[in-house]
Amino acid sequence: MPSRRSALTLFAGAGAALALGAPAAHARPAHDRPFGRYGSPSRRLDPLTLYVDPHGRGDHTDVRSAVAAASGTGRTLVLAPGTYRGPVLVTAAQTGLTLIGASGGPRDTVLVHDNAAGTPRPDGSGPYGTSGSATVTVQAAGFTARDVTFANDWLRADHPEYTGTQAVAIKVQGDRSAFHRCRFLGHQDTLYADSPALTSLARQYYRDCYVEGDVDFVFGRAAAVYDRCHFHTLTRTDLASAPYGFVFAPSTAGGAPHGYLVLRSRVTSAAPDGYYKLARPWVPSSDLTAHPMLTVRDSHLGAGIDAAEPYATMSAGFPWQDQRFAEYRNTGPGARVTVPGNRPQLTASQARAHTPAEWLGDWRPFA
């Protein structure tokens, strides 16, 4: 079985699966039309659109230089199939930036790098840290991505000496950030759905997305909606017993009314039954007033989730029972209520307030 790194390197541009799960049906652009229905440099959709192709048929050959060139507001980058390696930063000034995978299938267009929190910076100033490990960092508001894979292929097995094993695929901080049919691949801390500051609103929407990892692989402070998404927990060879990890680790600010909302989604696992927890609260040392919030509703929880004890406590003094965790009408072996005290349930009346419209207010990316 190839590692994720070899799979990304060998197959991403050819449209092969980058992770477990059935391949999505999509039509790849013809060889001489790498940007499909989205035009080309000679048939530009509009002056704000740039084209990226690793084989030189676009305005840029790599995403990092294209993003740097996309100054101002409302720019679009159309990405031809390929693997684009290197960290990418979307600054706060680049509002309304859109990334589109031209093939219509996220397996074909991959943004990937391999820094971890413990990776030393080249300038000798110390390790990157969790945030610095991100392959893609989005600070801008109004960011949209469609049909793109965001990955961090750093592997623990390659660096057993590291204690900082967090390796972020994408850190999203901007308000009104939307991801449609995207994939997020990593191990620990894959998808960092966050906000720029404790008092900042960061509404995010993920629709028909796939996320995989092991430890806290969906985490952060954002008011994020995960609608019809697939979360997949990985097996581990470095641990001999459960738990292998945790799907969600929200760090919702104490004054924020909304944290993570998961609905019409599913959780599957490559690990033995019951080896994963659904969530644990993250109360970071920088915000001891955090009050993590997670609602999982109308979703299918596979056998990989420990039904008897689906939640765990991350830090002493901040037990999960004191946080805003709730479930509603979930199905599957991982959703069985075997110990009622460990499965806080919403009433039908309460559930009416746990909807995308309530979470996102006047922003309607799901309409």
Side-chain angles (χ1 to χ4, degrees), residues 137-171:
T137 301
V138 178
Q139 299 172 342
F143 178 84
T144 301
R146 299 190 186 96
D147 302 308
V148 176
T149 290
F150 301 90
N152 190 317
D153 63 355
W154 185 88
L155 300 173
R156 294 186 189 96
D158 293 345
H159 299 280
E161 75 280 9
Y162 279 31
T163 56
T165 57
Q166 300 89 346
V168 178
I170 187 169
K171 180 175 182 178

Side-chain angles (χ1 to χ4, degrees), residues 286-323:
S286 59
D287 179 22
L288 297 180
T289 65
H291 194 193
M293 181 181 189
L294 167 70
T295 297
V296 180
R297 59 170 300 172
D298 301 295
S299 296
H300 184 89
L301 308 182
I305 298 299
D306 179 356
E309 296 183 35
Y311 303 106
T313 294
M314 183 183 298
S315 304
F318 302 99
W320 74 263
Q321 293 89 342
D322 291 348
Q323 312 311 322

